[in-house]
Amino acid sequence: MPRARLPVLADLVVVLVLALSALGQVWTSPVTALEGGRGVHSLLVVGFTLPLMVRRRFAVAVFGIVIAAAWIQLQLGGGLGQPFFAVLLALYSVGAHAPRPATLVGPGAVVLMAVFIDGPRLRDGEPWDQVVPAWFILLAVWAFGRWMRRRAVESAALNARAEAAERDKEEQAARAVADERARIARELHDLVAHSMGVIVIQAQGAQRAIDAAPEQARAALSSIETAGRTGLAELRRLLGLLSPEPGDADTTPQPTLEQLPDLITGVRGAGLTVDLKIEGVVRALPAGVELTGYRVVQEAMTNVLKHAAGAPVEVRLRYEPDCLDIEVQDTGPADGDSGDGADSGGRGLIGMQERVSLYGGTFRAAPRPEGGFAVHARIPADGRQR
């Protein structure tokens, strides 16, 4: 059973025990001993037991209702013991669950009871040992509730500090690994760049010498082959280094714009109303442009699900001669938090902008004047990385 349900189940058991035992006494007592009849006393039993189900959330209000119902029941000659236990539980809840200013209601009510209820009883000659001990019992129950609250707060603070320390340790270790990988990646990048430079120079030499000096051209081509193999090997190492984990390589083919209808169908299944419009002559684009366009639409609709769930969405793709134009807009509330990209692990709006900028495109995301949010991207169709 989930831990969150245990308090609710415990409160339900307490309420049932108090209510059933009190109702049993009410309906087995002589009618002449109950002013107002059994029906009134049954309602009062409900009044001092049922509110205990929400005592953790509304401690002060529940205490007021319980003590009022218990006092009225006592004045009508009920003479039951259950109301006192209900008052004790409600008073404990004030100490354990009410915020600091409101918790003073507990001892304040005890003082008022001592002055206005028990004071006249003592003046009328009732023995003090039948009156005064109840004050200390009530105050002790309230103080125990405060102590339990303080322990819970301290325990939560210790757990939070421990979790923060563990997260900080993990983040430091991750940063150290990332820094080292970045340093190695820069070195490997220099090796790859050097290999590419050698290939270009040797290729130029081979072109000039291929007719006049075939042997020299053949040697240049051999150097190109060696440099190419070396560069390819270093590039593989570089890509492996930049992967999150060696065993996490994803062999799934990267999505293209042809799979956009499948993406739209999945989002519709999540509850969004999406209208997809494709304009211009549909044609195959470079793989990087296709992937970037797909990711822009995917992330834009993810943000709609997070910040404007249920709002109609319009996705428009326009194939222009020199670029791919993408626009995703919704009519829901524009949420300022959706623009930082932090809630999606860096793959939000900032991630979209980085993807588009990598291909020399333009990206804009902002609230619409008429309401909602709009994402607009233009990606050059040549797919050349800038």
Side-chain angles (χ1 to χ4, degrees):
M1 179 179 295
R3 293 175 62 90
R5 296 185 180 179
L6 291 178
V8 177
L9 180 60
D11 289 340
L12 178 61
V13 171
V14 170
V15 168
L16 287 177
V17 170
L18 287 176
L20 292 177
S21 61
L23 288 174
Q25 286 188 255
V26 167
W27 287 92
T28 56
S29 299
V31 178
T32 55
L34 301 174
E35 297 183 25
R38 290 171 175 162
V40 172
H41 283 266
S42 297
L43 290 177
L44 291 173
V45 168
V46 174
F48 67 72
T49 57
L50 188 60
L52 295 175
M53 287 294 301
V54 292
R55 64 184 180 85
R56 302 171 194 272
R57 295 182 58 191
F58 309 102
V60 175
V62 168
F63 175 68
I65 295 172
V66 169
I67 200 171
W71 182 79
I72 294 174
Q73 201 271 342
L74 180 64
Q75 297 302 308
L76 294 179
L80 303 179
Q82 291 84 356
F84 182 69
F85 290 105
V87 170
L88 289 180
L89 184 56
L91 186 57
Y92 166 82
S93 302
V94 171
H97 304 294
R100 185 179 295 275
T103 193
L104 297 177
V105 169
V110 176
V111 171
L112 291 177
M113 181 187 72
V115 173
F116 295 103
I117 298 178
D118 292 337
R121 293 170 60 191
L122 291 173
R123 287 194 298 269
D124 292 341
E126 190 161 342
W128 67 269
D129 57 349
Q130 295 184 12
V131 178
V132 175
W135 306 346
F136 293 100
I137 294 175
L138 293 172
L139 289 175
V141 168
W142 173 83
F144 179 68
R146 291 305 300 169
W147 180 73
M148 290 294 292
R149 178 183 178 87
R150 184 158 49 251
R151 280 198 59 186
V153 170
E154 291 174 353
S155 177
L158 287 174
N159 290 336
R161 283 197 293 269
E163 292 175 0
E166 185 65 23
R167 286 195 302 269
D168 185 62
K169 181 180 178 181
E170 293 175 356
E171 290 172 0
Q172 288 180 357
R175 281 196 298 268
V177 172
D179 291 343
E180 184 64 17
R181 285 187 172 185
R183 183 186 66 80
I184 300 174
R186 286 192 295 269
E187 295 176 356
L188 294 178
H189 174 270
D190 293 340
L191 292 175
V192 173
H194 173 72
S195 298
M196 295 300 103
V198 170
I199 289 173
V200 171
I201 294 173
Q202 294 289 348
Q204 290 174 343
Q207 285 180 340
R208 295 189 183 96
I210 193 169
D211 294 326
E215 291 300 324
Q216 184 179 353
R218 186 175 293 107
L221 291 174
S222 177
S223 298
I224 289 175
E225 180 183 5
T226 301
R229 290 181 184 277
T230 301
L232 183 59
E234 297 299 340
L235 183 59
R236 286 172 177 166
R237 292 189 184 97
L238 177 61
L239 293 177
L241 180 69
L242 296 178
S243 299
E245 291 295 338
D248 289 347
D250 188 1
T251 58
T252 304
Q254 296 290 357
T256 65
L257 293 176
E258 289 184 356
Q259 296 168 263
L260 203 55
D262 296 333
L263 174 65
I264 300 295
T265 301
V267 174
R268 285 172 178 161
L272 281 185
T273 302
V274 184
D275 182 20
L276 174 62
K277 297 181 179 179
I278 300 178
E279 303 173 358
V281 179
V282 178
R283 64 188 188 277
L285 298 173
V289 176
E290 295 260 349
L291 176 60
T292 299
Y294 182 93
R295 293 303 187 199
V296 166
V297 176
Q298 182 184 44
E299 293 295 339
M301 290 194 295
T302 298
N303 278 349
V304 175
L305 282 171
K306 290 180 179 179
H307 305 287
V313 184
E314 180 179 297
V315 179
R316 181 181 56 78
L317 263 68
R318 184 166 64 245
Y319 287 83
E320 298 182 359
D322 59 344
C323 74
L324 174 67
D325 190 272
I326 302 173
E327 187 171 14
V328 181
Q329 58 185 9
D330 65 82
T331 59
D335 192 324
D337 290 340
S338 66
D340 59 11
D343 58 354
S344 58
R347 294 169 49 242
L349 297 184
I350 291 178
M352 284 190 274
Q353 185 170 11
E354 289 297 320
R355 285 181 180 272
V356 174
S357 299
L358 181 64
Y359 289 91
T362 59
F363 179 83
R364 182 174 59 86
R368 303 169 62 206
E370 62 270 28
F373 204 82
V375 171
H376 184 216
R378 288 178 64 85
I379 311 169
D382 56 14
R384 295 179 183 175
Q385 296 186 11
R386 282 14 184 204

